[in-house]
């Protein structure tokens, strides 16, 4: 049980690092969002770097939560997770009142929109960047709610 707890805390730390970098990128982009194609085409390298950081940290935070933190929590609670697909883990977390499955899946779908980052359609690129910027706080609130529920119920 000790290793599971240490693993869970390590994953929480990893999520917090993503959160910090995500918030920094969002703050740096406040002055240029919402983007339009004209603004996007005139961005300097610093702003492009912050956009890359925003997208990368958003994706990594969601990946870390879904792929590492969720299973680590279920294992900590004595659940068998290794043989279960992600959707079964998500359903179990929803049954326990820890996550809202539909909200998680919506965030995932929105995140996947940015997969078109290298699209030649600049309207799609700009829309995806604006979307990720707009839903960043939703993901962070999701993370904070998750952590609060865990801390209250598991006394970590």
């Amino acid at each position: 049980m000790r290793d599971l707890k240490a693993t869970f805390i390590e994953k929480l730390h990893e999520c917090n690092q993503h959160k910090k970098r995500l918030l920094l990128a969002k703050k740096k982009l406040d002055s240029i969002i919402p983007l339009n194609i004209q603004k996007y085409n005139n961005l300097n390298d610093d702003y492009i770097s912050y956009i890359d950081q925003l997208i990368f940290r958003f994706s990594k935070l969601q990946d870390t939560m879904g792929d590492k933190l969720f299973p680590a929590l279920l294992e900590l609670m004595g659940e068998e997770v290794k043989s279960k697909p992600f959707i079964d883990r998500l359903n179990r977390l929803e049954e326990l009142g820890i996550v809202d499955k539909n909200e998680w899946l919506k965030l995932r779908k929105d995140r996947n929109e940015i997969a078109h980052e290298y699209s030649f359609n600049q309207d799609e690129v700009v829309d995806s960047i604006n979307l990720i910027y707009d839903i960043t706080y939703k993901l962070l609130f999701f993370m904070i709610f998750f952590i609060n529920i865990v801390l209250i119920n598991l006394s970590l």
Side-chain angles (χ1 to χ4, degrees):
M1 184 63 105
R2 186 177 220 177
D3 291 336
L4 291 176
K5 187 175 178 179
T7 298
F8 185 78
I9 289 171
E10 179 185 313
K11 299 308 170 197
L12 279 177
H13 177 74
E14 188 177 329
C15 286
N16 272 325
Q17 293 304 312
H18 294 310
K19 182 185 92 179
K20 286 179 189 173
R21 304 290 189 268
L22 189 56
L23 287 171
L24 175 65
K26 188 169 173 48
K27 183 178 177 182
K28 295 289 187 179
L29 296 171
D30 280 346
S31 64
I32 64 162
I33 299 286
L35 279 178
N36 57 37
I37 291 178
Q38 182 180 5
K39 280 187 198 175
Y40 179 73
N41 286 328
N42 291 313
L43 291 175
N44 65 31
D45 288 344
D46 289 341
Y47 282 120
I48 296 293
S49 294
Y50 288 122
I51 288 171
D52 288 348
Q53 181 176 327
L54 180 83
I55 294 166
F56 176 76
R57 293 298 176 165
F58 188 96
S59 296
K60 292 298 288 181
L61 177 57
Q62 197 173 39
D63 286 347
T64 302
M65 289 181 69
D67 297 342
K68 297 175 183 173
L69 201 58
F70 291 175
L73 173 63
L74 289 170
E75 285 184 20
L76 248 179
M77 298 170 73
E79 304 258 344
E80 165 51 43
V81 295
K82 290 186 177 157
S83 62
K84 292 184 178 176
F86 178 76
I87 194 67
D88 289 348
R89 296 174 188 170
L90 195 58
N91 285 332
R92 182 63 181 138
L93 288 169
E94 186 172 61
E95 286 172 9
L96 295 168
I98 296 172
V99 300
D100 179 329
K101 178 180 78 176
N102 290 331
E103 185 177 338
W104 179 262
L105 293 175
K106 173 77 170 95
L107 286 167
R108 188 71 172 184
K109 180 182 171 284
D110 291 342
R111 181 212 120 159
N112 289 340
E113 294 288 323
I114 203 68
H116 302 288
E117 178 185 356
Y118 299 106
S119 167
F120 292 106
N121 183 338
Q122 288 191 333
D123 285 327
E124 286 181 14
V125 172
V126 167
D127 288 348
S128 295
I129 292 167
N130 286 329
L131 176 64
I132 293 298
Y133 178 88
D134 288 343
I135 64 172
T136 292
Y137 284 133
K138 284 185 183 177
L139 180 60
L140 293 175
F141 288 134
F142 194 99
M143 175 191 152
I144 291 166
F145 179 80
F146 175 85
I147 291 170
N148 284 337
I149 293 290
V150 169
L151 292 177
I152 290 168
N153 292 309
L154 292 181
S155 303
L156 292 175

